[in-house]
Amino acid sequence: MGGSGTIFADRVDAGRRLARELTYLRGQDVVVLGLPRGGVPVAAEVASALRAPLDVGVVRKLGLPMQPELAMGAIAEDGARVINQQVMNTARVSDDQLAEVERNERAELARRARQYRGGRPPVSVSGRTVVIVDDGIATAATARAACRAARTRGASRVILAVPVAPDDWRERVGGDADACVCPKTVSDFMAVGQFYRDFAPTTNEQVVAFLARGSSREVTVQAGPVRLAGELTVPEGASAMVVFAHGGGSGRHSPRNRFVADALNTAGLGTLLFDLLTDEEEGDRSKVFDVPLLADRLAAATRWLDSSLPLGYFGASTGAAAALWAAADGDPRVGAVVSRGGRPDLAGDRLPEVQAPTLLIVGENDPEVLTMNREAQRTLQAPTRLSTVQGATHLFEEPGALSQVAELARDWFIDRLRTSPSAR
């Protein structure tokens, strides 16, 4: 499928072109892992386009004892490895020799993982779609090891994505990936570098820098005695931050809230999605409706964020009640609140104390919640608007309904946070 020759200007160009092949994943619960070192600049572009967390998938080649440049396999974190038995047999490598090479490389792998992440723990991939990215594929040994490591760590789906590869690359990968994505395959593949105008080596320092400035990163919010997992996204030049309060026991992986957060990020607003409840608490239905508890957690996350940017709250279901309850505390940085299919009635007598302009979004065909929100609109003393999404039910699952929610929230936050006291 085509001959050799320059295809990409550099790894950034390759990453942007690869990202276009992966846009169908946007809004899903995705983690992007770049293979060091050259795969990380490519992965950074993919992660930015998908608004997904970026991490490194640390892998090491297992070189022959007498010819280290020739791979007899590869290893990755969590004990994953791929061995080329044919190469081992041809070179007559013993099991003891293999064990010694692997022992040395695992020590180096652990050292580099600490260096790249700066002491941060790996991004959790459990139950998530993992996109493993490199700048190209030759033997596929390191990519296969990375895929196996992601699977060992609990990934629900593994996608291997590279800008360029040989025609037979899917056969080389085998069943280690659930899907393979490559915009350009070639028949006369000799080396990855032949397809780049600029293929300068990526340094360890550059890898660290890419990971540090990833558009999204996983964080831990300390809320009193509990630690809550979150995901922080701060687009370059962000004008404001929006903290999400999830409802109904859902957390930071809520696909509806992630869809809205993606629209806000695209508009230049930062977002913090975090779990209001711990894994142990999620099974306790009384805590799902404990609005004072949820509001305290939201206030703790707001303090943890410690941002000089104006802030907004986006709440859904019981999370909307928590957002209104927390907004009633009078934090001057909170300049706007948006409720999606919310239960403002659960905020009770705190509603008149809310000072932030509030947008209530309800589906037209969600009569019970619509009635609750109309009553809340009469009770709220802050500037308030009630917007109904035509034809939508409580979960906004109808075609285009959630897009309308995202647009309404985006415009409300941009208009109100731009003129909020902390923005002046």
Side-chain angles (χ1 to χ4, degrees):
M1 291 183 59
S4 62
T6 301
I7 299 175
F8 309 110
D10 52 23
R11 291 182 177 90
V12 172
D13 175 42
R16 290 172 179 168
R17 292 168 65 175
L18 179 60
R20 289 198 288 267
E21 304 290 323
L22 296 164
T23 53
Y24 68 95
L25 294 171
R26 198 166 184 181
Q28 299 183 33
D29 189 12
V30 173
V31 175
V32 178
L33 302 182
L35 301 192
R37 289 172 295 191
V40 174
V42 182
E45 294 299 317
V46 172
S48 178
L50 299 182
R51 297 289 191 268
L54 172 66
D55 197 7
V56 63
V58 189
V59 291
R60 293 289 296 172
K61 178 179 71 175
L62 297 177
L64 289 172
M66 302 302 294
Q67 291 179 277
E69 71 282 357
L70 181 60
M72 58 180 170
I75 57 172
E77 295 175 279
D78 297 289
R81 73 172 184 166
V82 173
I83 300 298
N84 188 324
Q85 197 63 49
Q86 182 177 359
V87 172
M88 281 190 59
N89 293 341
T90 301
R92 297 182 178 179
V93 177
S94 69
D95 290 343
D96 289 343
Q97 289 175 308
L98 172 63
E100 182 179 0
V101 171
E102 182 172 354
R103 183 166 53 252
N104 293 335
E105 290 299 338
R106 286 212 175 274
E108 179 63 15
L109 184 149
R111 186 191 70 80
R112 294 203 178 195
R114 290 191 298 270
Q115 177 187 16
Y116 292 148
R117 295 192 180 104
R120 297 185 302 273
V123 172
S124 173
V125 303
S126 180
R128 309 170 81 172
T129 295
V130 175
V131 180
I132 293 172
V133 178
D134 205 353
D135 53 11
I137 274 190
T139 66
T142 53
R144 291 178 62 197
C147 290
R148 292 184 183 184
R151 194 91 65 189
T152 299
R153 293 168 57 195
S156 63
R157 189 170 183 233
V158 177
I159 298 173
L160 179 60
V162 294
V164 62
D167 282 343
D168 64 347
W169 78 295
R170 286 178 174 81
E171 288 74 19
R172 300 187 189 194
V173 174
D176 288 316
D178 297 305
C180 297
V181 176
C182 180
K184 183 67 176 179
T185 58
V186 294
S187 55
D188 53 350
F189 192 103
M190 292 180 289
V192 174
Q194 77 188 88
F195 305 102
Y196 287 81
R197 187 178 307 120
D198 177 0
F199 199 63
T202 303
T203 66
N204 288 333
E205 292 73 22
Q206 287 173 321
V207 170
V208 172
F210 275 114
L211 295 175
R213 72 168 187 254
S215 62
S216 297
R217 61 187 178 94
E218 295 205 342
V219 297
T220 301
V221 176
Q222 189 72 44
V226 300
R227 293 163 61 85
L228 305 170
E231 183 177 304
L232 178 67
T233 303
V234 186
E236 186 174 353
S239 59
M241 293 295 302
V242 177
V243 184
F244 280 67
H246 312 285
S250 65
R252 69 192 188 281
H253 299 320
S254 161
R256 295 175 185 83
N257 283 351
R258 290 177 69 88
F259 183 93
V260 174
D262 182 63
L264 301 185
N265 297 151
T266 301
L269 301 174
T271 55
L272 172 63
L273 295 92
F274 75 106
D275 297 338
L276 285 168
L277 300 175
T278 66
D279 290 342
E280 294 75 19
E281 293 171 333
E282 283 181 356
D284 185 346
R285 293 298 295 174
S286 66
K287 283 188 166 55
V288 172
F289 288 91
D290 188 343
V291 175
L293 171 67
L294 302 181
D296 283 346
R297 301 273 173 90
L298 181 56
T302 305
R303 291 190 296 271
W304 173 89
L305 192 58
D306 192 28
S307 174
S308 60
L309 296 172
L311 297 174
Y313 287 154
F314 182 96
S317 189
T318 54
L324 290 164
W325 188 293
D329 289 337
D331 187 331
R333 294 181 302 163
V334 180
V337 177
V338 173
S339 162
R340 170 183 66 81
R343 290 288 308 276
D345 57 299
L346 296 176
D349 56 9
R350 299 299 301 272
L351 288 178
E353 301 173 30
V354 176
Q355 299 179 28
T358 299
L359 173 65
L360 307 171
I361 306 175
V362 186
E364 177 189 30
N365 296 328
D366 189 10
E368 185 175 354
V369 173
L370 185 56
T371 298
M372 295 174 183
N373 277 261
R374 283 173 175 156
E375 179 60 31
Q377 184 182 25
R378 289 190 287 269
T379 305
L380 284 159
Q381 302 300 305
T384 306
R385 179 187 302 167
L386 174 61
S387 294
T388 57
V389 177
Q390 300 302 305
T393 51
H394 183 62
L395 295 180
F396 300 90
E397 295 176 307
E398 296 72 22
L402 201 55
S403 293
Q404 292 185 53
V405 171
E407 292 168 5
L408 288 166
R410 176 200 63 199
D411 294 346
W412 188 264
F413 284 128
I414 289 175
D415 291 345
R416 273 68 189 178
L417 296 183
R418 182 181 295 145
T419 56
S420 69
S422 58
R424 295 181 189 134

